[in-house]
Amino acid sequence: MSNDLAPFESIRFEDRAGAESRLAAILDGTSDLLSESLAAAFAEAADASRVLVRLERFLDSAGAPDATLNAMADSPDLARMACSIFDHSLFLTDILCKHPEYLDWLWNETDLNHPLEKNALLIEVRALVAEADSVTQSHAVLRRIHRREILRIGVRDVYCYASVPSVTEDLSNLADVMAEAALDIASEAMRARYGSPRVVAQNGETSEATFVVLGMGKLGGRELNFSSDIDLIFVFSDDGETTGGTSKPIHNTEFFHRLGEQLIKALADQTAEGQVFRVDMRLRPYGRMASLATSLNGCLNYYEMQGRPWERQALIKVRPIAGDLALGERLIELTRPFVFPKYFDDSTLEDIRETKRMAEAQTAEKGQTENEVKLGRGGIRDIEFTVQMLQLLNGGRQPKLRSTNTLDAIEILGEEGLLTAFEALTLSRNYVFLRQVEHRLQIEGSQQRHALPTDPHDLDDFGRRLGYQSGDAFMVGYRDRSVETRRILDRFFDTKGSGDLWVTELLNPNAESEHGLDKLQGLGFV
């Protein structure tokens, strides 16, 4: 072994002779400092052979590989950062190989210690969109910025070991900005064609109808994944008609439905530049067969007359992310009695529990109960279900429990004594652990993946990427946490609702009896 390769002597390669030959080619003519920098970076990798293959690919794509290698020789941490990307993610490697200049951008121009400030990114995106000559080019801008930012956030995760809340906040900020920019693009095109949507008040005065994009699920909770769909609801303020543009006027309902279609196209269409986010609209009022956009009054009527128990759960995590944010906040405020009733009846609670049982049965049918990070026993959904059930049961009387964010809600539930201090600490710790596992599953290939590897070799590799000695060592910790989480859920799973507490309220002269009076009216008494 040459002196250049001596630092690699203790590093395990699947094909040592082949690896040494390829390393010799990379190191030829470089300083000893590069050999030491790369060897230190390879030593930290879960799979040094994989890192070497991807490093060669990156150097082949770089316009000036010698400059890159010299920079790695001078900065061992730069070599560590690059090799962390190659070790953890083919998806991030693909981005870096397509845009080799991003390595210098990451190293010299970005703050990898903190989430990017949302308004700063929105200003940049809007400036670049303004330079585009067409809607198609505008969509390409969104895809290029999204790809670059996913690389930055991924590096914060796999190299900087940023906290899970910091990473999910960064991803959620990115989604917010992309939704706002997509709405800008769609609005400009729609207004040119149909004019502005108007509403006529009873006194004859006209004003403009507004539109809000609401984020649900993990986006609503500011806890987005690397490969999440984004769950959206579109709401507009008032019925009316547009003023007309290059085409004749249309009703506001049709205008905002088409606006929603264009917004989704901007985000979700697969083009030569890829995709921004997959968009899921199934949580909207009236479901997938309804218009994409619903008026404020239409939403309120739906939840009052047809809202189902699982929709209460879904609306815990609703958040306005683009457009008329005040309209979104108004909807949230007006639906609070539906989401957080003052007292929660047993039948509604049982309906929510039954939905959970059905999901668990489907996971069991697939044989994934013990290795599905999201839906498996003791997984992410168990934590979310525990938290949301306690929020639903108590949020009507304790407004501070209405947080959209899971970790924040756990902390508040502990402070209010609805979880013991030990339970709150356990759920928070396990939620962070499971979300980190989920990120590592998804960041490798940018796939919506939640099942742990079953092949022993793949499991070992996965465990090492999370800092464990082996797959078996990882699974011991994973199973222990799953048992802890499930034990806490089981304690609350059979909790009773408020049952007939409304009667006690009605008979108490010192209590507010609004809920009891509503119950009497529902039973036929006036």
Side-chain angles (χ1 to χ4, degrees):
M1 180 180 293
S2 71
N3 289 335
D4 285 345
L5 297 180
F8 296 90
E9 187 173 4
S10 62
I11 296 173
R12 179 177 171 274
F13 292 101
E14 292 180 3
D15 174 9
R16 172 156 292 279
E20 289 181 354
S21 174
R22 291 149 73 185
L23 282 167
I26 292 172
L27 297 170
D28 184 37
T30 64
S31 71
D32 291 341
L33 291 176
L34 177 62
S35 179
E36 293 171 3
S37 292
L38 286 180
F42 277 43
E44 295 180 5
D47 186 336
S49 298
R50 173 173 60 220
V51 172
L52 177 57
V53 169
R54 293 175 181 177
L55 172 63
E56 287 180 303
R57 180 184 162 204
F58 170 72
L59 293 173
D60 286 343
S61 68
D66 290 344
T68 299
L69 291 172
N70 288 336
M72 288 182 178
D74 293 337
S75 302
D77 285 343
L78 174 61
R80 286 182 57 245
M81 183 180 76
C83 290
S84 292
I85 296 171
F86 303 146
D87 190 37
H88 282 89
S89 175
L90 175 60
F91 172 60
L92 298 183
T93 299
D94 286 344
I95 295 175
L96 200 56
C97 289
K98 187 172 183 178
H99 299 278
E101 69 278 9
Y102 284 174
L103 186 65
D104 180 72
W105 171 76
L106 285 166
W107 189 244
N108 292 306
E109 299 181 40
T110 62
D111 176 8
L112 295 175
N113 295 315
H114 303 95
L116 185 62
E117 204 277 321
K118 185 163 63 173
N119 287 337
L121 180 60
L122 182 58
I123 289 169
E124 179 187 3
V125 173
R126 281 176 164 162
L128 292 171
V129 166
E131 297 174 1
D133 295 331
S134 65
V135 169
T136 298
Q137 287 187 12
S138 296
H139 291 180
V141 168
L142 299 189
R143 282 151 178 75
R144 287 195 292 270
I145 295 292
H146 174 263
R147 187 165 56 233
R148 185 196 73 185
E149 291 303 304
I150 285 291
L151 174 64
R152 178 186 61 80
I153 300 169
V155 170
R156 294 190 63 231
D157 185 18
V158 303
Y159 169 66
C160 298
Y161 304 109
S163 69
V164 166
S166 180
V167 170
T168 57
E169 178 187 349
D170 220 351
L171 290 166
S172 300
N173 285 347
L174 176 60
D176 287 2
V177 168
M178 292 293 109
E180 190 74 70
L183 179 57
D184 289 346
I185 296 166
S187 294
E188 182 178 355
M190 288 291 295
R191 289 170 185 273
R193 184 171 181 182
Y194 299 109
S196 62
R198 311 296 290 178
V199 57
V200 181
Q202 289 183 347
N203 62 7
E205 293 184 0
T206 63
S207 59
E208 185 163 329
T210 60
F211 178 88
V212 63
V213 180
L214 296 154
M216 306 286 285
K218 284 187 167 59
L219 176 56
R222 300 185 62 78
E223 46 199 19
L224 205 61
N225 294 340
F226 274 103
S227 191
S228 285
D229 295 352
I230 55 173
D231 296 298
L232 303 179
I233 291 178
F234 301 150
V235 177
F236 62 95
S237 60
D238 299 279
D239 290 319
E241 190 174 80
T242 66
T243 57
T246 57
S247 296
K248 64 181 182 180
I250 58 176
H251 289 293
N252 285 355
T253 299
E254 185 176 0
F255 176 87
F256 288 116
H257 173 83
R258 294 185 183 184
L259 177 66
E261 287 181 327
Q262 293 301 310
L263 191 156
I264 293 170
K265 182 180 179 66
L267 294 174
D269 270 13
Q270 279 284 0
T271 72
E273 294 282 357
Q275 182 185 51
V276 183
F277 286 103
R278 297 181 301 272
V279 176
D280 191 335
M281 296 293 299
R282 289 176 295 176
L283 295 178
R284 68 185 185 273
Y286 304 102
R288 67 179 69 192
M289 301 307 294
S291 172
L292 288 174
T294 310
S295 70
L296 175 63
N297 284 336
C299 283
L300 297 177
N301 288 336
Y302 171 78
Y303 291 124
E304 180 180 354
M305 304 300 294
Q306 300 182 44
R308 290 161 288 183
W310 65 264
E311 286 174 305
R312 297 178 191 265
Q313 214 171 341
L315 286 171
I316 291 175
K317 301 182 83 66
V318 63
R319 179 175 64 89
I321 65 169
D324 184 358
L325 303 185
L327 174 62
E329 294 294 348
R330 186 179 174 204
L331 173 67
I332 291 170
E333 188 61 34
L334 291 172
T335 55
R336 287 205 192 283
F338 168 69
V339 182
F340 297 107
K342 192 167 185 181
Y343 295 116
F344 215 91
D345 61 272
D346 292 333
S347 61
T348 302
L349 190 58
E350 181 56 29
D351 285 342
I352 293 172
R353 281 194 289 250
E354 183 57 28
T355 301
K356 179 73 167 69
R357 293 188 190 102
M358 290 173 61
E360 291 191 350
Q362 292 173 354
T363 303
E365 286 179 7
K366 298 176 183 177
Q368 295 181 333
T369 297
E370 303 303 324
N371 73 330
E372 224 279 3
V373 173
K374 180 179 179 181
L375 300 175
R377 188 173 182 83
I380 293 169
R381 188 56 56 82
D382 277 6
I383 297 175
E384 292 173 339
F385 187 86
T386 301
V387 171
Q388 290 167 18
M389 184 170 63
L390 291 172
Q391 287 180 288
L392 290 172
L393 285 169
N394 301 282
R397 300 181 302 282
Q398 296 174 260
K400 64 171 61 177
L401 297 177
R402 300 168 188 171
S403 173
T404 61
N405 181 273
T406 301
L407 287 173
D408 288 348
I410 292 171
E411 181 178 358
I412 297 167
L413 288 166
E415 291 172 352
E416 295 301 304
L418 294 166
L419 289 168
T420 68
F422 175 76
E423 288 170 336
L425 177 63
T426 298
L427 290 183
S428 294
R429 186 171 59 99
N430 291 354
Y431 182 78
V432 167
F433 168 78
L434 290 169
R435 290 301 307 276
Q436 189 173 53
V437 170
E438 184 181 46
H439 285 172
R440 292 294 192 274
L441 285 170
Q442 296 184 356
I443 203 170
E444 165 59 20
S446 187
Q447 296 175 330
Q448 200 171 27
R449 180 182 171 196
H450 296 99
L452 296 170
T454 54
D455 178 81
H457 179 270
D458 293 341
L459 185 61
D460 279 342
D461 177 68
F462 183 72
R464 286 195 296 271
R465 284 195 279 128
L466 281 163
Y468 291 85
Q469 290 293 319
S470 66
D472 286 343
F474 163 74
M475 288 304 299
V476 168
Y478 177 83
R479 291 188 181 109
D480 286 347
R481 291 173 185 267
S482 298
V483 170
E484 290 176 340
T485 296
R486 189 65 186 203
R487 187 181 295 126
I488 295 171
L489 171 63
D490 287 341
R491 184 166 87 80
F492 293 105
F493 198 71
D494 293 326
T495 296
K496 297 294 183 182
S498 52
D500 295 333
L501 286 178
W502 63 274
V503 176
T504 303
E505 180 194 62
L506 189 67
L507 295 175
N508 183 350
N510 297 316
E512 297 178 5
S513 300
E514 181 180 344
H515 183 71
L517 291 171
D518 288 343
K519 282 282 192 177
L520 284 179
Q521 189 173 16
L523 293 171
F525 297 94
V526 180

